[in-house]
Amino acid sequence: MPDQQPLVSVIVPNYNYAKSLPLCLKAIQDQDYPSIEIVLIDDCSTDDSVVVAAALGVEAVSTGTNGGVSVARNLGAARARGEILLFVDSDVALAPDAVTQAVRLLLATPDLGAVCGIYDPDPLIRDSRMEEYRCLQQYYALVSSEGRISTVHTNTFAIRADVFAELDGFNPQLRHTEDQDFGLRLAMRYGALSTSAVVGRHDNDDTLRLVLRKVYQRIYLAMPLYLRRRGLPGGYASGPRAWASAVCLLSVATLLLPLLLGAAWAVVPVLVLGTGLACDTGLYRCVVRHKGWGFLGYFMAVNFVVNLTVAVGVIAGGLRCLFSRRFREVYDAALGSGVSAPA
């Protein structure tokens, strides 16, 4: 790294995360990188977020009206002075060397557009077994796609300020799939790297209802983007996960066979379910390695329900694409008419 280290603006978008915000900000203040400014953008929180930040000496800049995370990130980038922007969600606490590692990798590879971090397998604040499930599931999804990716993981990612400006920032109309939209536009001009050298611990979703709602919402709203691509971007949306979801749905559908054709057909859903579970063998090995055999049964049961939810989201989003031109074209303004998406 050069002697003159570039200023890094760490941008933290926040909405009602007073619980994890002090851990997030303290972790930024404790970074071993010497040239940092913190830009905290509060999207009109109704909790004590602003007070919590002030107690740590961090001033929160308000968006004025609640506009979503894209608006907050764009405002943070507009106010930032750094040559490098590092976005960190307010429910993530960075490892002490995260900024140093992100800057090192970004400067070492001139054609690299962004460096994305990976979650730690353990939650930042343990609230439930569900949160442990979610952290492990997301950790495995990210670490198994480590390397060059055609999207961005916005929980923690560094990007040169000039590249962010060139891409016109995040689409302010998108609240749930802004990362996939931005990542696709980035991939058209630059590369992105997902790396375990940059780690953050996440205060994740802690109820099944919240997990399923987010999973369904994201996959449903992303279907117009997936259908334009020649492949999945990796990470949360990967080939193995798609196959596992499809087979889980098929196993439920085949439960009708023994009812209609006789008990001998009960072997079919069992075989199909076994195939679906086999698609996630690597994930289950990861669970045993980090949490032991005692946690595996719970994890597998929840993961089956999550995979079913993914499959339902794909079907619902695909059907809406079929019948709604407006839905099909929701990302066209950002991508440009007739642009071919990368694989």
Side-chain angles (χ1 to χ4, degrees), residues 38 63 78 84 128 142 154 158 162 198 216 232 239 257 262 271 307 324:
I38 300 176
T63 55
I84 294 175
S128 66
L142 295 179
T154 48
D162 59 335
V198 180
Y216 176 83
L232 294 171
L257 292 177
L271 290 174
N307 281 338
S324 172

Side-chain angles (χ1 to χ4, degrees), residues 71-131:
V71 170
R73 290 191 184 117
N74 288 345
L75 177 58
R79 296 183 67 93
R81 297 180 294 113
E83 297 173 50
I84 294 175
L85 311 178
L86 194 147
F87 293 89
V88 181
D89 286 350
S90 55
D91 55 359
V92 174
L94 297 174
D97 65 343
V99 175
T100 296
Q101 295 294 342
V103 172
R104 175 183 64 81
L105 291 166
L106 199 59
L107 297 183
T109 313
D111 70 329
L112 203 57
V115 171
C116 302
I118 288 177
Y119 286 142
D120 188 277
D122 293 315
L124 176 61
I125 304 170
R126 187 192 182 281
D127 296 310
S128 66
R129 297 182 79 195
M130 180 58 60
E131 187 168 7

Side-chain angles (χ1 to χ4, degrees), residues 17-183:
Y17 276 99
K19 180 180 178 181
S20 59
L21 186 59
L23 299 174
C24 171
L25 295 177
K26 189 67 167 60
I28 297 170
Q29 292 172 334
D30 289 343
Q31 288 294 300
D32 60 16
Y33 189 84
S35 186
I36 287 177
E37 68 165 359
I38 300 176
V39 183
L40 172 62
I41 306 297
D42 186 73
D43 197 21
C44 299
S45 293
T46 57
D47 64 5
D48 293 331
S49 292
V50 173
V51 175
V52 165
L56 290 170
V58 179
E59 179 184 0
V61 177
S62 175
T63 55
T65 58
N66 181 263
V69 70
S70 295
V71 170
R73 290 191 184 117
N74 288 345
L75 177 58
R79 296 183 67 93
R81 297 180 294 113
E83 297 173 50
I84 294 175
L85 311 178
L86 194 147
F87 293 89
V88 181
D89 286 350
S90 55
D91 55 359
V92 174
L94 297 174
D97 65 343
V99 175
T100 296
Q101 295 294 342
V103 172
R104 175 183 64 81
L105 291 166
L106 199 59
L107 297 183
T109 313
D111 70 329
L112 203 57
V115 171
C116 302
I118 288 177
Y119 286 142
D120 188 277
D122 293 315
L124 176 61
I125 304 170
R126 187 192 182 281
D127 296 310
S128 66
R129 297 182 79 195
M130 180 58 60
E131 187 168 7
E132 292 189 78
Y133 159 81
R134 190 64 164 151
C135 282
L136 263 177
Q137 181 218 29
Q138 292 191 333
Y139 162 77
Y140 180 78
L142 295 179
V143 81
S144 61
S145 63
E146 189 172 2
R148 292 286 184 136
I149 55 175
S150 58
T151 184
V152 290
H153 307 142
T154 48
N155 55 81
T156 303
F157 84 105
I159 185 170
R160 293 191 301 276
D162 59 335
V163 172
F164 187 84
E166 179 186 340
L167 296 173
D168 294 324
F170 289 93
N171 183 344
Q173 303 302 315
L174 302 177
R175 284 178 177 253
H176 303 289
T177 54
E178 80 292 335
D179 53 344
Q180 298 178 67
D181 168 80
F182 184 85

Side-chain angles (χ1 to χ4, degrees), residues 134-258:
R134 190 64 164 151
C135 282
L136 263 177
Q137 181 218 29
Q138 292 191 333
Y139 162 77
Y140 180 78
L142 295 179
V143 81
S144 61
S145 63
E146 189 172 2
R148 292 286 184 136
I149 55 175
S150 58
T151 184
V152 290
H153 307 142
T154 48
N155 55 81
T156 303
F157 84 105
I159 185 170
R160 293 191 301 276
D162 59 335
V163 172
F164 187 84
E166 179 186 340
L167 296 173
D168 294 324
F170 289 93
N171 183 344
Q173 303 302 315
L174 302 177
R175 284 178 177 253
H176 303 289
T177 54
E178 80 292 335
D179 53 344
Q180 298 178 67
D181 168 80
F182 184 85
L184 183 52
R185 287 185 281 122
L186 178 73
M188 288 174 170
R189 306 183 193 186
Y190 301 93
L193 179 71
S194 177
T195 174
S196 56
V198 180
V199 178
R201 187 166 283 195
H202 187 202
D203 183 31
N204 221 315
D205 307 322
D206 57 5
T207 67
L208 180 61
R209 181 179 179 180
L210 184 57
V211 169
L212 296 184
R213 188 184 73 189
K214 286 189 175 182
V215 166
Y216 176 83
Q217 210 167 39
R218 286 181 60 83
I219 194 71
Y220 172 80
L221 294 174
M223 283 307 297
L225 206 53
Y226 292 158
L227 291 175
R228 288 190 59 167
R229 305 180 68 106
R230 295 191 297 273
L232 294 171
Y236 302 128
S238 64
R241 185 174 182 189
W243 278 111
S245 298
V247 175
C248 283
L249 182 62
L250 183 61
S251 72
V252 173
T254 55
L255 287 174
L256 291 172
L257 292 177

